Amino acid sequence: MELRQLECFCAVSSLENFTKAAQLLHISQPSVTKTVRSLESELNLELFDRRQKHVCLTEAGQVFLIHAKKIMQDVQAAHVSMERFRVPKSGAIKLGVPPMIESYLFPNFFVKFTAANPEIFLELQEFGDSNAIREKLDGGELDFGIIFLNPEEHSEKFFTLLEDEFYLCLPTTHRLAGEKQISFDELREEKFILQPGGTFQNFVTIERAAEAGFSPKVLLTTSQFKTIKDLVANGAAISLLPKFAIEKSAKFEAVPINPPIKFAVSLAGSKFRELSPLCLHFFKFVKALFHDAT
């Protein structure tokens, strides 16, 4: 039994006419007749009484129509259900990122994604900190955001892109330059350059200093990493930067902190809504890309 047979049978049943059914289905009348005949032959039953001007269902045809309609409805429901798995070939993804991610991690990903998905537009929005990105996500203004998290923070809406740690960056002439590790106890009298309040770097610096029993002396707050690096290299102050953001050619010392300040960079989605087919495609692409890179 084929769907085409059921489609022809239902059309003839509804219109009570083979010619009109053929017009509705955009096929020839002989094709409709042949298809219905093959269905009757398979069932070994006559489904239509053809002795009158308007064909009508036999008793067996009336019963079979109930089953045929249910099958056709189930087929339609299956198509609708599967629609959510069909990835649109075009559209836009709104992605929120902090400045550091945009500068150091995003360009490589952007090139690979757009090469594989030329019709999908990535609308990039920069935010000063992860909290602002989370608010926009939960408010439905972003599809995804890249945020900093403590490594132990988990959620089905987060996918870890990489795990890293902060290094203490200081001038090459600094008294602690050349140390294998540096604890915050040794930094009480130092001047710090921090990112603005609300950023992960600002938070962990103040938190670690508080654990050591002091408040950091802040020379400057800025979201410009070139400014931070230049001021550190010139001896103005010290700062914390992720290991991934420190170039090998840096003109300052980068020393591990004891105990380490570790973090995860994660792709986050809204916890209040389901992913659209386009967003699900994006999410799977990111997971595959970073899984292969690890």
Side-chain angles (χ1 to χ4, degrees):
M1 189 177 300
E2 300 176 358
L3 288 177
R4 191 61 170 172
Q5 292 173 317
L6 299 180
E7 187 178 30
C8 289
F9 169 74
C10 289
V12 175
S13 300
S14 175
L15 299 172
E16 298 181 340
N17 186 284
F18 280 86
T19 301
K20 290 181 180 179
Q23 292 172 347
L24 176 67
L25 299 175
H26 302 289
I27 58 178
S28 68
Q29 186 269 329
S31 294
V32 174
T33 301
K34 182 179 179 180
T35 301
V36 172
R37 285 292 188 189
S38 68
L39 177 61
E40 290 178 315
S41 177
E42 182 177 338
L43 296 172
N44 196 25
L45 290 169
E46 285 194 359
L47 301 176
F48 291 104
D49 184 347
R50 298 168 172 82
R51 294 173 297 177
Q52 303 179 38
K53 183 177 181 180
H54 294 286
V55 295
C56 59
L57 289 168
T58 63
E59 184 178 356
Q62 292 173 5
V63 174
F64 185 73
L65 180 61
I66 297 173
H67 296 290
K69 284 184 174 180
K70 186 178 186 305
I71 293 171
M72 298 302 290
Q73 289 169 356
D74 287 344
V75 169
Q76 179 62 29
H79 279 292
V80 172
S81 179
M82 294 300 101
E83 183 67 30
R84 63 193 177 97
F85 295 104
R86 190 172 296 117
V87 180
K89 294 182 179 179
S90 62
I93 299 288
K94 295 181 180 180
L95 177 66
V97 297
M100 192 183 308
I101 298 300
E102 182 181 11
S103 300
Y104 293 96
L105 298 181
F106 184 75
N108 179 55
F109 165 75
F110 178 81
V111 170
K112 291 182 178 179
F113 182 80
T114 53
N117 305 274
E119 300 300 319
I120 298 177
F121 176 67
L122 279 183
E123 182 180 328
L124 190 67
Q125 299 182 28
E126 183 181 303
F127 295 89
D129 61 82
S130 296
N131 288 333
I133 293 174
R134 288 190 181 197
E135 289 177 4
K136 296 295 183 180
L137 279 171
D138 294 340
E141 297 177 54
L142 292 174
D143 296 308
F144 293 99
I146 298 179
I147 59 177
F148 288 86
L149 297 171
N150 289 314
E152 63 272 11
E153 187 174 355
H154 297 289
S155 168
E156 63 179 9
K157 292 293 185 178
F158 298 152
F159 172 70
T160 299
L161 304 179
L162 64 88
E163 292 185 351
D164 203 351
E165 64 180 287
F166 282 103
Y167 273 33
L168 184 69
C169 300
L170 38 83
T172 55
T173 57
H174 194 278
R175 61 185 175 84
L176 296 174
E179 294 289 328
K180 293 183 177 181
Q181 291 183 325
I182 297 174
S183 70
F184 258 68
D185 287 330
E186 302 173 81
L187 306 177
R188 294 175 181 274
E189 302 305 319
E190 299 295 331
K191 294 179 181 179
F192 286 80
I193 302 173
L194 300 182
Q195 290 182 261
T199 60
F200 193 76
Q201 185 252 30
N202 183 292
F203 171 76
V204 296
T205 301
I206 293 175
E207 180 184 55
R208 185 58 66 88
E211 291 174 358
F214 70 94
S215 295
K217 300 175 182 179
V218 181
L219 176 68
L220 176 71
T221 59
T222 177
S223 61
Q224 301 300 313
F225 288 93
K226 185 178 185 303
T227 300
I228 294 175
K229 293 177 180 180
D230 287 346
L231 288 174
V232 169
N234 290 330
I238 64 174
S239 188
L240 270 66
L241 289 176
K243 185 178 178 181
F244 72 74
I246 301 171
E247 300 90 349
K248 294 181 180 179
S249 59
K251 298 178 180 179
F252 52 80
E253 290 285 326
V255 183
I257 299 167
N258 184 32
I261 301 178
K262 296 186 177 182
F263 63 91
V265 178
S266 298
L267 179 72
S270 172
K271 58 186 178 182
F272 297 117
R273 64 177 183 175
E274 294 299 319
L275 296 179
S276 67
L278 183 64
C279 288
L280 184 61
H281 171 70
F282 177 83
F283 188 71
K284 289 180 177 179
F285 183 92
V286 174
K287 288 185 71 172
L289 179 63
F290 280 86
H291 176 76
D292 291 342
T294 57

